[in-house]
Amino acid sequence: TEIYTLSLHDALPIYLAFNLPRGNWNKQLDSADPKWKGPSALPEKFAGGDAVELTLQPRALVVYEQSKVDSKA
């Protein structure tokens, strides 16, 4: 299992574009989610291997976990 953590300690949102390893990435925590009284939530899941584009909200912490990927030996 791999974990990808994003955090922003600034007062303004920031746009991010990056690549993650192949596989499905599922959100585990998003402190900016409205259910935590935040301004907006990031996607629940996305596919790695392709470019990911997100806007991280101010003073936010987000954690994504990669679903298990079958490896061929």
Side-chain angles (χ1 to χ4, degrees), residues 5-34:
T5 304
L6 300 162
S7 63
L8 179 62
H9 304 278
D10 201 343
L12 298 173
I14 187 170
Y15 170 81
L16 300 170
F18 54 93
N19 291 317
L20 287 174
R22 287 182 330 134
N24 294 317
W25 291 85
N26 300 301
K27 186 170 62 175
Q28 303 300 313
L29 173 71
D30 184 351
S31 67
D33 193 304

Side-chain angles (χ1 to χ4, degrees), residues 13 33 36 44 53 62 65:
D33 193 304
W36 301 109
E44 290 297 319
E53 298 180 7
V62 182
E65 179 181 27

